[in-house]
Amino acid sequence: MVPLRSVDWDDGAVVIVDQTLLPNELRHLRITNVSHLVGAIKRLAVRGAPSIGVAGALGVALAARTHPPADQAQAFDDDVHALRSARPTAVNLARAVDRAAGARGGGYHAILAEGLAIRDEEIASCWSMGIYGSELLIELTGERPQRLMTICNTGGLAAVERGTALGVIQTMLERGLLAEAIPLETRPLLQGGRLTTWELARMGAPFRLIVDSAGPFLLAQGAADAVLVGADRVAANGDTANKVGSFSLALGARNAGVPFIVVAPESSMDLDTPSGEMIEIEDRGSEEVTRAWRETIAPLGTKAINPAFDITPHEMITAVVTDRRVIRLDRGEKLSEVPLGPLRTSHRRSAI
Ligand code: MRU
């Protein structure tokens, strides 16, 4: 599979894959100003917690080119503020923007170097999560081909080059241990139906797509061995913000007695937020719900409730897998207590 980067830097521009056009068209956008980048993040042309973190950090480099922080501090700060608040739920965005902006003393080149370092770290993290996650799955359900249910898109599109939860599924495929992936379509913006299916097909993975409401029922019928989801933010107590529908899957997994595993890099762990109720959940307004992709489906003027994310309580999560450790919440382990282990990238393969 030819590696593809959802977000990168090229000669003074942030280059993103426009994820709103997939799976019908693979088009890159070259973005050279901060307001266009903020717009791209808000309309989910670039999306997924690690990808928006990297986009935001590289956006700070764009800001520094236009408004050198030493001479135009106010304009630079305004750009940084616009980037860090483009979306509220994923901690990666504000954190990566702040980290890049922290290099302002070294000017544009130092900021760009920080943004590129964050990009490289996120790529390496995904390889490591694949190893930790696949070992956990083998421990929990045995070394045999597994059926793995997942929601939203947590592949390379969401995490720069390789995925978090979908990266574990890819690692299982590479190890000959994937019987089937079962992605949920993920209303309203269909990240599962449009993007995860596209990535699974590119990998050559066996998969079948389901509607969101079928997830808990199919789990009860024994259709999957485990559920793997990503995270936009994991609070200190393990409560996890992820794409809306994750909580229903956790309920379904508990009902069926199958493991519910969160896979996310350390850059999504937020020890400063004690629990899930303190996480701001992005409200994306009515229109995404009253339309099914581009067709209007509800009478004009219909109001909708549209939280983009939900919170899965830590009691319902079997384990959080990061790039540096596995935290067994089901055994009472705590994020603040489990020590960081090594970043494990030695099993890198140029994939299938
Ligand atoms: O609204 P999105 O598409 O950005 O939501 C993405 C998710 O919920 C992902 O599961 C999460 O960001 C982890 S991505 C590796």
Side-chain angles (χ1 to χ4, degrees):
M1 186 172 85
V2 183
L4 178 80
R5 286 193 178 166
S6 61
V7 52
D8 211 345
W9 179 264
D10 179 52
D11 194 20
V14 177
V15 180
I16 63 165
V17 171
D18 185 344
Q19 297 189 38
T20 66
L21 302 178
L22 287 170
N24 299 319
E25 187 184 344
L26 175 58
R27 190 195 297 170
H28 288 85
L29 299 177
R30 289 181 68 82
I31 299 176
T32 53
N33 79 61
V34 167
S35 62
H36 287 167
L37 184 58
V38 169
I41 294 171
K42 284 182 192 283
R43 70 184 178 88
L44 273 53
V46 57
R47 50 150 295 283
S51 287
I52 60 174
V54 172
L58 295 174
V60 181
L62 287 183
R65 262 170 81 98
T66 329
H67 307 294
D71 312 325
Q72 300 181 40
Q74 188 57 54
F76 175 79
D77 286 344
D78 289 348
D79 278 352
V80 167
H81 176 73
L83 285 163
R84 83 190 296 288
S85 49
R87 294 189 76 190
T89 305
V91 68
N92 304 61
L93 178 59
R95 191 177 265 173
V97 166
D98 288 348
R99 183 172 149 192
R104 63 195 293 158
Y108 161 70
H109 290 289
I111 292 170
L112 177 58
E114 202 62 42
L116 296 176
I118 295 170
R119 175 201 65 189
D120 293 345
E121 286 165 21
E122 293 295 2
I123 292 171
S125 288
C126 288
W127 287 94
S128 192
M129 283 181 274
I131 296 169
Y132 280 113
S134 57
E135 287 178 356
L136 176 68
L137 279 175
I138 290 166
E139 184 188 325
L140 290 172
T141 59
E143 189 157 6
R144 58 180 171 74
Q146 299 191 12
R147 300 155 306 156
L148 301 171
M149 192 175 282
T150 190
I151 186 169
C152 196
N153 172 263
T154 58
L157 290 167
V160 186
E161 193 179 277
R162 197 175 161 93
T164 59
L166 200 63
V168 174
I169 291 174
Q170 185 169 358
T171 306
M172 292 294 279
L173 172 70
E174 289 162 0
R175 292 184 167 188
L177 293 174
L178 180 69
E180 177 178 49
I182 307 172
L184 273 68
E185 64 175 352
T186 320
R187 273 278 290 154
L189 296 182
L190 305 175
Q191 291 94 328
R194 295 184 302 110
L195 307 176
T196 301
T197 49
W198 185 75
E199 293 197 309
L200 285 165
R202 286 186 86 231
M203 284 175 214
F207 69 91
R208 285 185 290 172
L209 178 66
I210 61 171
V211 298
D212 300 333
S213 41
F217 173 65
L218 288 173
L219 286 170
Q221 287 205 316
D225 300 298
V227 176
L228 299 174
V229 304
D232 286 78
R233 188 186 298 244
V234 179
N237 70 347
D239 291 353
T240 294
N242 190 51
K243 180 53 56 192
V244 68
S246 301
F247 180 41
S248 316
L249 273 189
L251 288 164
R254 169 179 277 199
N255 175 65
V258 305
F260 181 89
I261 300 167
V262 172
V263 186
E266 289 292 331
S267 59
S268 302
M269 304 298 120
D270 185 8
L271 291 180
D272 296 332
T273 297
S275 63
E277 73 255 18
M278 337 278 265
I279 299 175
E280 184 181 347
I281 299 294
E282 179 180 1
D283 178 336
R284 291 190 59 84
S286 292
E287 204 176 314
E288 287 177 356
V289 180
T290 58
R291 296 168 77 89
W293 199 224
R294 287 175 175 136
E295 293 294 317
T296 299
I297 53 165
L300 209 65
T302 298
K303 291 192 173 58
I305 306 173
N306 186 16
F309 303 97
D310 60 23
I311 305 285
T312 301
H314 62 278
E315 303 88 356
M316 308 194 66
I317 298 170
T318 308
V320 175
V321 173
T322 81
D323 45 326
R324 304 284 299 275
R325 55 191 171 146
V326 173
I327 303 133
R328 288 292 298 263
L329 299 182
D330 62 343
R331 292 182 180 158
E333 291 182 358
K334 306 233 173 307
L335 262 72
S336 56
E337 289 165 6
V338 176
L340 295 181
L343 185 75
R344 298 172 68 193
T345 55
S346 56
H347 289 78
R348 270 189 190 213
R349 297 191 210 169
S350 62
I352 38 219

